[in-house]
């Protein structure tokens, strides 16, 4: 695959993984050439903090959180890098408003694609000739690209490297942990939704971190109930033959009869959290709980448009919750 001057190593598929499958805490074989180790250490020496963003299950808003975390850190005047290692489903270029951008190479290595002067991004999404192309790679080739990202991307002197990983505990996770532990990793943030079907997999993710020696910086409960301004809601009239839009009628009626309702925020529990959600799970597993982020249609829109949710007042439900969580993280560092 052509990628702006550098290729994924041709022998990536030929490398053999000596791991037996499950990892014990710091007992596995690194399986990396000494020269590669030195190159990764040298690159990562210019990065003060390295944070993984993980999720046990897909579709919980992990990449949205990674993108907004990076936006927020950059707006706090930190130098930030965002590395997308979701090889088969790279959504970070879309969420940062960088679709169609290419990677360039200099004598210092691969140059990140910049949103702002202090926010650089690297993703396989920049290497695909067609954004709809499927990446059909086995584990060794994915690992080869992750290693190349770590040793060849010229981040420069940065404060934070945020790594957006795919869901689960597969090859990409094992590789990034092995490589980053060499240079020192701050830990992982784990994103979940409140219902048990997500928390079951998050427990596996937490146990993965414990087994491989990655500190869990905390768990974020995303989509923690729907929060939407009443004035932004749509209304329909159901009937036997279907539904008809009643938004204009409903809003006009409210303006006339109860205008104070237009400043009210509607709340609804979308997912079942009757068993305590992520907060209770964190207590049981003895890991930090960072907070809840409500499901906010305006945040979804910001992600679709590739922009920060903090630059205006539109994301009034989600932005304050995200800011509170990010301040906790910065304070930990």
């Amino acid at each position: 695959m052509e990628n702006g001057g550098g290729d994924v190593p041709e022998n990536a598929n030929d490398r053999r993984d000596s791991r037996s499958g499950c990892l014990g805490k710091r007992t596995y074989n690194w399986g990396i050439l000494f020269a590669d180790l030195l190159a990764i250490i040298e690159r990562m020496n210019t990065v003060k903090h390295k944070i993984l963003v993980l999720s046990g299950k897909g579709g919980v808003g992990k990449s949205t959180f990674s993108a907004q975390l990076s936006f927020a850190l950059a707006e706090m005047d930190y130098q930030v890098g965002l590395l997308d290692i979701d090889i088969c489903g790279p959504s970070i270029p879309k969420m940062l408003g960088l679709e169609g951008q290419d990677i360039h190479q200099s004598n210092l290595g691969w140059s990140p694609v910049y949103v702002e002067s202090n926010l650089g991004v690297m993703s396989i999404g920049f290497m695909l000739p067609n954004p709809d192309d499927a990446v059909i790679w086995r584990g060794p080739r994915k690992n080869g690209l992750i290693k190349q990202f770590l040793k060849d991307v010229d981040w420069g002197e940065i404060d934070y490297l945020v790594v957006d990983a795919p869901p689960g505990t597969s090859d990409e996770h094992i590789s990034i942990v092995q490589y980053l532990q060499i240079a020192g990793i701050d830990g992982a943030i784990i994103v979940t939704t409140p219902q048990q079907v997500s928390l079951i997999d998050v427990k596996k993710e937490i146990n993965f971190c414990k087994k491989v020696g990655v500190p869990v910086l905390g768990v974020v409960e995303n989509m923690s109930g729907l929060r939407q301004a009443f004035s932004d809601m749509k209304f329909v009239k159901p009937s036997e033959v279907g539904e008809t839009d009643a938004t204009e009628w409903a809003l006009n009626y409210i303006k006339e009869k109860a205008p104070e309702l237009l400043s009210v925020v509607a709340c609804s529990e979308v997912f079942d959290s009757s068993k305590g959600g992520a907060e209770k799970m964190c207590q049981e597993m003895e890991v930090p709980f960072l907070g809840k982020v409500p499901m906010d249609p305006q945040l979804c829109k910001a992600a679709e448009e590739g922009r920060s949710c903090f630059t205006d007042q539109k994301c009034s439900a989600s932005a304050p919750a995200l800011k509170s969580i990010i301040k906790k993280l910065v304070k930990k560092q």
Side-chain angles (χ1 to χ4, degrees):
M1 177 182 297
E2 296 296 326
N3 47 34
D7 293 334
V8 175
E10 293 181 0
N11 63 339
N13 275 321
D14 297 329
R15 297 177 191 267
R16 294 294 180 263
D17 194 339
S18 60
R19 296 183 297 272
S20 61
C22 294
L23 290 177
K25 189 172 182 180
R26 298 183 186 277
T27 61
Y28 42 89
N29 187 340
W30 293 102
I32 314 171
L33 294 174
F34 186 64
D36 289 335
L37 289 176
L38 291 178
I40 291 171
I41 290 170
E42 185 176 0
R43 285 291 188 194
M44 292 297 105
N45 276 344
T46 65
V47 179
K48 291 180 183 177
H49 302 290
K50 307 161 194 74
I51 298 175
L52 291 178
V53 182
L54 308 174
S55 68
K57 187 169 293 290
V60 299
K62 169 188 56 59
S63 294
T64 300
F65 180 82
S66 296
Q68 296 304 325
L69 170 62
S70 301
F71 275 129
L73 290 172
E75 288 168 18
M76 294 166 74
D77 290 329
Y78 291 110
Q79 298 293 323
V80 183
L82 174 55
L83 175 59
D84 180 8
I85 63 165
D86 193 342
I87 306 300
C88 295
S91 54
I92 289 299
K94 170 74 173 175
M95 292 185 175
L96 274 292
L98 297 173
E99 285 183 298
Q101 298 294 317
D102 295 319
I103 295 171
H104 299 284
Q105 191 174 31
S106 70
N107 59 342
L108 297 176
W110 290 355
S111 297
V113 178
Y114 283 90
V115 183
E116 302 288 348
S117 61
N118 64 335
L119 176 52
V121 182
M122 180 56 66
S123 170
I124 192 176
F126 300 135
M127 303 176 182
L128 300 176
N130 185 333
D132 297 330
D133 286 347
V135 179
I136 307 172
W137 287 3
R138 294 186 185 275
R141 197 171 184 199
K142 293 179 184 178
N143 299 344
L145 181 60
I146 291 170
K147 181 174 69 176
Q148 196 162 7
F149 277 157
L150 292 176
K151 71 187 184 70
D152 289 347
V153 175
D154 177 30
W155 297 105
E157 297 278 346
I158 62 173
D159 299 300
Y160 287 93
L161 178 64
V162 178
V163 181
D164 184 57
T169 54
S170 57
D171 284 343
E172 294 96 322
H173 306 80
I174 296 168
S175 295
I176 195 71
V177 167
Q178 288 180 338
Y179 300 152
L180 283 185
Q181 277 185 331
I182 300 164
I185 181 172
D186 289 65
I189 302 166
I190 302 176
V191 181
T192 184
T193 46
Q195 78 277 33
Q196 288 296 307
V197 72
S198 177
L199 295 174
I200 288 168
D201 289 336
V202 167
K203 290 177 182 178
K204 297 182 178 72
E205 199 80 35
I206 292 171
N207 284 326
F208 167 82
C209 290
K210 289 180 178 179
K211 284 183 179 180
V212 299
V214 173
V216 177
L217 299 176
V219 175
V220 174
E221 184 179 283
N222 196 28
M223 306 185 197
S224 184
L226 174 66
R227 302 289 186 274
Q228 186 170 13
F230 210 78
S231 57
D232 291 338
M233 298 182 74
K234 291 188 175 182
F235 301 87
V236 296
K237 284 184 178 180
S239 67
E240 294 181 358
V241 295
E243 296 177 342
T244 56
D245 187 280
T247 304
E248 186 176 356
W249 170 83
L251 290 177
N252 287 335
Y253 186 85
I254 292 168
K255 286 176 184 177
E256 181 182 346
K257 302 294 185 182
E260 61 275 11
L261 286 178
L262 294 175
S263 61
V264 171
V265 175
C267 305
S268 174
E269 293 297 322
V270 178
F271 298 111
D272 179 20
S273 58
S274 59
K275 294 188 177 180
E279 188 168 8
K280 184 178 179 182
M281 180 208 66
C282 288
Q283 293 172 356
E284 294 170 350
M285 300 201 71
E286 298 180 340
V287 295
F289 178 66
L290 292 174
K292 301 179 180 182
V293 180
M295 183 182 288
D296 180 358
Q298 290 296 331
L299 176 60
C300 299
K301 189 174 181 181
E304 284 290 306
E305 295 174 356
R307 58 180 174 82
S308 169
C309 73
F310 306 107
T311 54
D312 53 38
Q313 302 301 314
K314 293 180 179 179
C315 300
S316 57
S318 56
L322 283 165
K323 277 186 178 179
S324 175
I325 289 168
I326 292 162
K327 284 180 181 178
K328 288 180 185 178
L329 286 170
V330 172
K331 193 172 182 180
K332 280 176 180 282
Q333 307 310 314

